[in-house]
Amino acid sequence: QVQLQESGPGLVKPSETLSLTCGVSGYSINSGYYWGWIRQPPGKGLEWIGNIYNSGSTYFNPSLKGRVTISLDTSRNQFSLNLSSVTAADTAVYFCARVSWGLRDSYNYFYYMDVWGTGTTVTVSS
Amino acid sequence: QSVLTQPPSLSAAPGQKVTISCSGSSSNIGNNYVSWYQQLPGTAPKLLIYENNKRPSGIPDRFSGSKSGSSATLGIIGLQTGDEADYYCGTWDNSLSTGVFGGGTKLTVL
C-alpha cells in the first residue's frame, strides 16, 4: 500500500523559505509517476503548486512567480518543496500526492492525483 | 478565481440523487480527461473518479462521472449522510501548462 507523509516546520517567518518533505512508502519514486504538491488556504479550495518526474523535469504554477522549487531524493525515497519569500498568503495546508499523467488517444491528457498525504499546516507569521 | 467553475454548494436529502457540474474550456476539460475528488471535513482529498468516468478500487458505484464538450458532471445516487463533503474537479490545462481545480462544491445531505 502506497503512503505519503508530509513533514516540516509548522511556522515560518515572513520573507523566509518554506521547506517541506514528502516521504513515500510502499513504492519507489524512481519507478515512475509524477510527484506533486497542492495547497489549501484556510477555508478555501485546492491550489495546484507543481510536480516533478523521476527524470527531474518539473512544472510549476506560474502564479507563484518563480518562488517554487521541487526536488527528488531517490536515496531516501522522498521529494521536497521549497517556497521562498513567503507571506501570510502562503499560509495553508500543504498536501503531497502521487500524480498519474500521460497522453491518451494521442492528444488528450489524463492527469490526476491517486494517492495523497494527510497534509501539513504551515502558518506564515512573525 | 478558479479556472474550472463549480457551484459553491448543493444540498439534497438522504437517498436522493445529486449532480455536481464542472465547467471549463477547450484548453482543459474540452481536450483532456477529468478527475473528481472528495474531501471529508478535516481530511485530505481522495480520488473518486479519474479519466472522466473510471472509479478507483474501493469507490462504490453510487459515484459516477461523465463529460460532454468542455463540461463534466459528478453524479451521486442513494445519498448518505457520510457523503457530506467538499467535491473538486480537476484536469490539466494545455494553455497554462498547469494542473487546475474547480473551486469546490460543498454538498450537504439533510
Side-chain angles (χ1 to χ4, degrees), chain A residues 40 104-105 108-109 113 117, chain B residues 31-33 37 39 44 51:
Chain A
Q40 186 170 35
R104 286 260 188 268
D105 315 322
N108 296 112
Y109 282 106
M113 295 83 174
Chain B
N31 280 289
N32 293 321
Y33 290 85
Y37 305 88
Q39 187 176 31
E51 295 184 25

Side-chain angles (χ1 to χ4, degrees), chain A residues 1-3 24-33 35 77 98:
Chain A
Q1 180 185 2
V2 182
Q3 292 185 313
V24 180
S25 60
Y27 189 86
S28 170
I29 62 175
N30 253 338
S31 298
Y33 286 96
W35 304 91
N77 212 41
R98 188 174 76 171

Side-chain angles (χ1 to χ4, degrees), chain A residues 18-21 37 49 68-71 79-83 94:
Chain A
L18 179 162
S19 296
L20 297 175
T21 296
W37 290 94
I49 296 174
V68 181
T69 58
I70 299 176
S71 59
F79 60 104
S80 298
L81 169 71
N82 278 355
L83 180 64
Y94 285 75

Side-chain angles (χ1 to χ4, degrees), chain A residues 38 40 44-48 51 59-62 95 101 104-105 107-114 116-118, chain B residues 31-33 35 37 39 43-47 50-51 54 88 90-92 94 96-103:
Chain A
I38 303 96
Q40 186 170 35
K44 296 190 177 179
L46 302 174
E47 180 183 17
W48 185 84
N51 53 228
Y59 286 85
F60 300 123
N61 191 327
F95 298 100
W101 188 15
R104 286 260 188 268
D105 315 322
Y107 58 88
N108 296 112
Y109 282 106
F110 62 88
Y111 186 88
Y112 56 91
M113 295 83 174
D114 67 340
W116 293 68
T118 57
Chain B
N31 280 289
N32 293 321
Y33 290 85
S35 55
Y37 305 88
Q39 187 176 31
T43 69
K46 178 174 77 172
L47 179 66
Y50 66 100
E51 295 184 25
K54 298 178 182 177
Y88 295 89
T91 188
W92 181 257
N94 297 337
L96 299 173
S97 293
T98 66
V100 290
F101 292 104

Side-chain angles (χ1 to χ4, degrees), chain B residues 7-86:
Chain B
S9 62
L10 286 172
S11 62
Q16 296 297 303
K17 169 187 173 180
V18 70
T19 58
I20 300 174
S21 61
C22 176
S23 176
S25 68
S26 59
S27 68
N28 42 67
I29 293 178
N31 280 289
N32 293 321
Y33 290 85
V34 177
S35 55
W36 289 91
Y37 305 88
Q38 177 193 58
Q39 187 176 31
L40 297 169
T43 69
K46 178 174 77 172
L47 179 66
L48 267 187
I49 297 288
Y50 66 100
E51 295 184 25
N52 298 342
N53 54 20
K54 298 178 182 177
R55 282 177 287 104
S57 173
I59 300 300
D61 58 7
R62 299 189 299 107
F63 296 90
S64 64
S66 63
K67 188 187 105 166
S68 177
S70 296
S71 293
T73 301
L74 173 70
I76 312 173
I77 62 173
L79 274 172
Q80 302 173 0
T81 55
D83 296 331
E84 277 206 349
D86 294 322

